[in-house]
Each structure stands twice: as C-alpha cells, then as structure tokens.
Amino acid sequence: MRPRQIPGKQIFTGFLEKDVLFGSAFLIRLTLVFYGVYQDRTMLVKYTDIDYQVFTDAAKYITEGKSPYLRATYRYTPLLAWILTPNIYIIDLFGKLLFIAGDLVAASLMYRILLLRGLDSRKACGCCAFWLLNPLPMTVSSRGNAESLVAGLVLGTMYYMEKKHLAKAAVLYGLSVHMKIYPVTYALPIVLHLQSSQSHEKGNTDVPKPRKVDGFRRFFLRLFSRDVLLFAAVAGGTFAALGLVFYFSYGWDFLEHTYFYHLTRRDIRHNFSPYFYMLYLTAESEWSFPLGLAAFLPQLLLLLVISFAYYKDLVFCSFLHTAVFVSFNKVCTSQYFLWYLCLLPPIIPLLRMSWQRAALLFLLWLMGQGLWLAPAYFLEFEGQNTFLLIWLAGLFFLFANSVILVQIIAHYRTGQVTRKIKLQ
C-alpha cells in the first residue's frame, strides 16, 4: 500500500500546482488593490503610491491632446502615459490591475525559463513562488508602480534569448531600454553571449588554441557576426523608432525627462544609496555635478568585470549586473530591488547553497533594510536629524548586499545550463 501523505504536505504540494499558485497570487494582489481603495478613503496615510497619481495626471494630459510633461515630476516615457489612458476613459484602477497582471506575466516567463533549464513543473512553481508570494512585488504593483512591466520585458528578453529567437528578444530588449534606462547595461553581456554561442555552434572548441593576437582578432570579428548585427539592428531600430516618434511629438522634454534627467540626477532625499549623504552635503557645491558623475565609476568597473566573467549564462550575468547597478547607484529605493529580484527565481536551481545559509543571507538583507528604515522613520515622521545614521545604515546595507552577491557567486554552479528546447 502507498503510504498516506501528511495533510500539511498534501496542501503544500497542491499549492505548487501552477493554476493554484498563480490563481492565489492574483487573488492576493487583487485584494490588496481593493484594500488600497479603502485605505485611501478612510486613512490619513495613503496606500496608493504617489507615482500612480503622477501617471494618471500625465495620462489625463494625453487625453486632452497635451504633453504628459506638463505634469511636474513625470520622469517617464510618454508610452506609459498612453498605456494608462484607460485610467481616464474607463476606471482609475486600470493601471493597478495592469501592473498586477504584469507581475503574473513576469512569473509566467520565469516559469518558462525554468522549464527550458530542465526543471519539472512543480519545482519551477516552487521557484516562481519566490516572486508570486513575495510581499515586495505584491505591494509595489498593487500600490500602482509600473516596475512589473519592465520586469516582464526583461524576462521576455531572457526567455527568447534562451529559445534563440533573437528578433523577438531584440524587440523586447529595445522596448525595455525605452521604458527604463538600466537594461542598457545588458548590452555587453548580450553581445558576448551571442558571439560565444555562435563560436560554440561552429565547433571551435576542437580547434588548437590560437596565438593571443589571433584570438583578439577573431574575438573582434565575432562582434560583427550575423547574430550580433541582427540583434543590434532590431533592438536599436525598436529603441530609435519609439524615440523618434515621441521626440517629434513632445520635443526636448521627452529626452530630458525620460533619459537625461536620470543620468544627471542627484537625489539628496534620504534613500538606500551610499552616496546620498555626500550628495546632500555638496548639493550647493560646485563639486556636486562631478561627484555625481564619479559615482558611476565603481558601477562601470564592476559591470565590465561581471560581463566578461559570466556572459555565458546570460540570466545569471544579468542578475549580477542589476544587483550591482542598484546597490552602487546614486539613488536606491525599495522598488529598485525588484529589478534584480525578478531575475533571481531562474537562477535558484543552480545555487548549491544550504537552506540555513540562504536563510541567514536573507535575514542579513532584511536586517540591512530594517537598520535603515528605523532612522528614516524618525527623520520623515518625527523631524529628527538622523541623516548620519541613515548614511551609516546605507553603508551597512551596501556591505550586506556585497556579502550576499559574493556568496551567490561562490555557490552558483557554473558550466553549461541544461536546456530542453525545441527549436522551431
């Protein structure tokens, strides 16, 4: 006779069925959306993110035939305001419903990537649960933040890269860079990955090792291979086409608020960045702008090293890229964490790490945020001068993130990723 399963275990395994997991995640998010309506109407502290009101105001200007940049602090592509015009025409909850749907689309793409990497459905769902049942993505999307749309575009790019559908991947990549500028850092790993894949397909592994000069020449020539040129043309064409349409529609305001503002931004409000206090103290100094640009140097150096070290596994390389970019950025808020958390589930199966170590690292990550949030609360709500404590907590959080990344790299199983791909 088959041994009877423990009821709790039956419930757990049943919850890892795809339909049950995704359905539950959707219902939780939907509940949060309607709870947000209640809190906004009855409480002093609003549930809805202030950015959602900014999006909606920009969409209203679109419906009136005006520029979305008439709304102060709208620092996004006009495409987002166009997408959210149903907020004006139909119901003001449309955007939130779209964003929680984006969460599920992102999870579906994670699921598909995991299947391509050799996992069965239940194990893939177990990894996706990290995203679907995570309070952070739930809260961010249900409060009206659009990060889930970018997560879906980035994961779509990774999925089609794994499937070798380069044109589809390039379109999604060009669109993701148009929506948010940070995925542009994936360009070098993608190029290196494509030239490496093409070299492997041609069977160059059996060729005698060339001289160093010849190796550099072949590497340079592979940068102009058919796959690289195709991806660059389609992605660049997608990005340029959208840019031209909106530039001719909204002029310099489009370039300034969508891209240049984020490159030169010096946010002196308290945030997780280790640079915020320096930028706060030098806000009126002539050194403010050069110091802001200098803050990009650690990011640049680390991204270059990661690109050449881990490009063969593009998803893992992109995860490291994003985590480093966010941790060392001039501005770092909680919603930025989603940029790299969405890439974590596809790499979880290749982490050879004990549950105890993983739990300890997770607690370290939470502790870093808790130590920052305590003085931030007293600054924002009690009016106490806790800038120095916030900065020190930000430094500790950077240290915690660095330790976690080192541990992930040390316990990641390198080598050929197992795939079950049926090329069409």
Side-chain angles (χ1 to χ4, degrees):
M1 292 180 64
R2 284 182 70 183
R4 291 184 62 186
Q5 283 189 313
I6 301 172
K9 188 175 182 181
Q10 287 180 327
I11 294 172
F12 178 74
T13 55
F15 197 74
L16 292 182
E17 295 294 333
K18 184 184 177 185
D19 293 341
V20 176
L21 177 62
F22 278 71
S24 301
F26 175 73
L27 289 177
I28 294 171
R29 285 164 169 78
L30 194 61
T31 302
L32 287 173
V33 168
F34 287 106
Y35 167 77
V37 174
Y38 167 77
Q39 181 172 323
D40 290 345
R41 292 177 179 176
T42 60
M43 300 183 189
L44 182 62
V45 178
K46 306 300 182 184
Y47 183 83
T48 300
D49 195 316
I50 186 63
D51 283 347
Y52 190 69
Q53 187 59 53
V54 174
F55 299 158
T56 302
D57 291 345
K60 184 177 180 181
Y61 282 119
I62 292 287
T63 63
E64 295 172 353
K66 300 175 183 178
S67 169
Y69 300 111
L70 291 175
R71 176 44 161 106
T73 71
Y74 184 76
R75 313 291 188 186
Y76 311 92
T77 169
L79 181 60
L80 181 58
W82 276 96
I83 291 172
L84 296 182
T85 52
N87 275 17
I88 310 302
Y89 289 127
I90 304 175
I91 184 173
D92 60 0
L93 291 180
F94 171 83
K96 290 186 177 183
L97 298 176
L98 176 66
F99 299 154
I100 65 172
D103 265 353
L104 299 183
V105 170
S108 177
L109 289 165
M110 297 173 198
Y111 176 81
R112 295 185 181 190
I113 292 172
L114 288 163
L115 293 184
L116 289 177
R117 293 184 161 214
L119 267 69
D120 60 41
S121 178
R122 184 161 295 174
K123 290 181 179 178
C125 284
C127 294
C128 292
F130 175 84
W131 174 266
L132 288 170
L133 303 181
N134 191 322
L136 184 59
M138 286 182 187
T139 306
V140 169
S141 59
S142 63
R143 292 185 67 218
N145 199 285
E147 300 303 334
S148 63
L149 301 184
V150 183
L153 292 171
V154 168
L155 286 162
T157 302
M158 298 297 134
Y159 171 69
Y160 284 116
M161 287 293 294
E162 296 261 309
K163 291 275 287 183
K164 306 296 183 184
H165 296 172
L166 298 186
K168 293 178 182 178
V171 170
L172 293 177
Y173 180 68
L175 187 54
S176 68
V177 175
H178 174 81
M179 292 289 290
K180 287 278 188 180
I181 199 169
Y182 81 88
V184 75
T185 65
Y186 305 157
L188 179 58
I190 287 174
V191 169
L192 294 173
H193 180 79
L194 288 174
Q195 62 89 13
S196 174
S197 298
Q198 192 171 44
S199 174
H200 180 75
E201 288 171 3
K202 290 181 178 179
N204 288 352
T205 53
D206 296 331
V207 177
K209 188 175 181 180
R211 293 181 302 167
K212 186 174 290 187
V213 175
D214 292 338
F216 280 124
R217 182 173 63 83
R218 292 183 182 182
F219 171 79
F220 181 77
L221 291 175
R222 285 200 301 269
L223 294 181
F224 296 93
S225 65
R226 175 184 172 277
D227 287 349
V228 173
L229 292 177
L230 171 64
F231 189 93
V234 176
T238 302
F239 178 79
L242 289 168
L244 287 172
V245 167
F246 290 125
Y247 177 76
F248 285 121
S249 299
Y250 305 110
W252 181 258
D253 284 344
F254 159 65
L255 296 177
E256 170 66 24
H257 294 292
T258 306
Y259 302 117
F260 298 143
Y261 167 80
H262 299 284
L263 292 174
T264 60
R265 179 181 182 184
R266 299 185 303 280
D267 196 334
I268 60 174
R269 294 174 298 176
H270 57 288
N271 61 82
F272 287 95
S273 173
Y275 300 112
F276 109 87
Y277 196 46
M278 175 189 71
L279 297 176
Y280 170 76
L281 294 176
T282 61
E284 303 300 327
S285 168
E286 62 181 2
W287 293 100
S288 178
F289 182 73
L291 286 172
L293 292 179
F296 284 117
L297 290 177
Q299 280 179 320
L300 179 61
L301 292 174
L302 288 170
L303 294 179
L304 285 173
V305 171
I306 290 170
S307 296
F308 283 97
Y310 300 105
Y311 64 86
K312 290 183 180 179
D313 187 343
L314 186 58
V315 178
F316 182 57
C317 187
S318 299
F319 166 78
L320 295 177
H321 254 242
T322 315
V324 165
F325 181 88
V326 170
S327 299
F328 287 84
N329 202 29
K330 293 185 299 180
V331 180
C332 180
T333 63
S334 295
Q335 67 195 47
Y336 290 12
F337 302 159
L338 299 183
W339 296 357
Y340 60 82
L341 288 180
C342 71
L343 291 166
L344 184 56
I347 70 172
I348 287 176
L350 294 176
L351 284 175
R352 293 298 177 258
M353 183 184 296
S354 67
W355 283 107
Q356 294 86 345
R357 184 185 295 269
L360 184 62
L361 294 176
F362 181 64
L363 289 175
L364 178 64
W365 189 68
L366 292 179
M367 183 173 69
Q369 294 179 64
L371 290 174
W372 184 92
L373 287 170
Y377 170 83
F378 284 102
L379 173 66
E380 189 163 347
F381 293 100
E382 303 293 333
Q384 298 182 21
N385 184 357
T386 57
F387 279 101
L388 182 60
L389 292 176
I390 292 174
W391 176 62
L392 292 174
L395 291 179
F396 178 80
F397 190 54
L398 175 63
F399 168 76
N401 283 328
S402 300
V403 169
I404 292 168
L405 285 176
V406 168
Q407 288 296 306
I408 288 176
I409 290 171
H411 291 86
Y412 190 76
R413 188 183 71 187
T414 57
Q416 183 66 30
V417 178
T418 303
R419 297 182 177 90
K420 292 181 179 179
I421 302 175
K422 294 181 180 179
L423 298 176
Q424 297 179 355

